[in-house]
């Protein structure tokens, strides 16, 4: 509990200096931060039915894996944004909405490409990074390449990955392929090494405040 309080204190302390002015906000990851991308996919990993959304303002499931607000919603408020970034697959993400940022996350994914294979059609992290690149091309057409680069460099990036690589990929399935391939002490550094590649790619695409 003490560690949790310390984390929240540091976390909110970090947010305090940047909350005075809205910045673009970009979200990558799994169900902890998915705001509805999977609603546009033929997958079982969806949050489009009650009791999801029970405590939200609309009291309905929107694709967010929560009864109310999730972490991107709360962070958006702290960042001074009028609204959280829309799911990248939303048809409403266009024009001025692009300036707010975008949420590329997809429930079920992990750091590894084989994580979440049981959910079939989900946006794996490589595809999320491809969409981030595509987003920047769309943004450049709207405000110009230089301004698009500045907006991305100054934007805040939230990335939540790794849980499913253990829960769904290593432990959930008895004698899973990954547990047969790696003893746990070797699996952990392997996953971390793959995560480093994701972060390097994210940096190469202009993310600076992660």
């Amino acid at each position: 509990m003490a560690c949790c309080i310390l984390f929240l204190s540091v976390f909110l302390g970090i947010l305090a200096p940047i909350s005075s002015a809205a910045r673009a906000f970009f979200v990558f990851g799994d169900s902890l931060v998915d705001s509805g991308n999977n609603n546009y996919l033929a997958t079982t990993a969806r949050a489009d039915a009650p009791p999801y959304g029970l405590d939200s303002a609309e009291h309905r499931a929107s694709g967010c894996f929560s009864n109310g607000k999730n972490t991107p919603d709360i962070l958006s408020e702290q960042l001074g944004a009028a609204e959280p970034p829309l799911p990248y697959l939303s048809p409403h993400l266009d024009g001025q909405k692009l300036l707010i940022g975008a949420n590329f996350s997809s429930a079920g994914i992990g750091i590894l490409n084989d994580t979440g294979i049981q959910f079939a059609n989900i946006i794996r992290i490589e595809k999320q990074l491809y969409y981030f690149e595509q987003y920047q091309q769309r943004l450049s057409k709207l405000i110009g390449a230089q301004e698009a680069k500045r907006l991305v460099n100054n934007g805040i990036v939230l990335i939540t990955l790794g849980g499913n690589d253990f829960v769904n990929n290593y432990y959930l399935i008895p004698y899973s392929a990954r547990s047969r391939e790696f003893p746990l002490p070797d699996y952990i550094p392997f996953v971390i090494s793959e995560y480093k590649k994701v972060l390097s790619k994210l940096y190469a695409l202009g993310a600076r405040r992660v």
Side-chain angles (χ1 to χ4, degrees), residues 33-64:
V33 289
D34 186 353
S35 61
N37 276 311
N38 280 19
N39 277 3
Y40 300 97
L41 303 172
T43 177
T44 55
R46 296 165 69 108
D48 56 352
Y52 291 120
L54 184 68
D55 298 322
S56 66
E58 296 81 14
H59 304 294
R60 62 177 179 82
S62 63
C64 170

Side-chain angles (χ1 to χ4, degrees), residues 15 26 69 78 91 131 135-136 145-146 170 183 189 198:
L15 283 179
F26 306 103
K69 295 178 181 178
Q78 292 287 330
Y131 280 155
Y135 161 86
Q136 292 183 50
Q146 203 61 34
Y170 196 89
V198 171

Side-chain angles (χ1 to χ4, degrees), residues 11 14 19 25-26 30 32 35 38 42 47 62 83-84 92 121 140 160 165-166 190 192:
F11 187 60
I14 291 170
S19 61
F25 186 27
F26 306 103
D30 54 29
L32 294 176
S35 61
N38 280 19
S62 63
E83 59 183 297
H92 303 294
N121 191 24
S140 293
T160 301
D165 295 291
F166 291 89
F190 169 66
I192 290 173

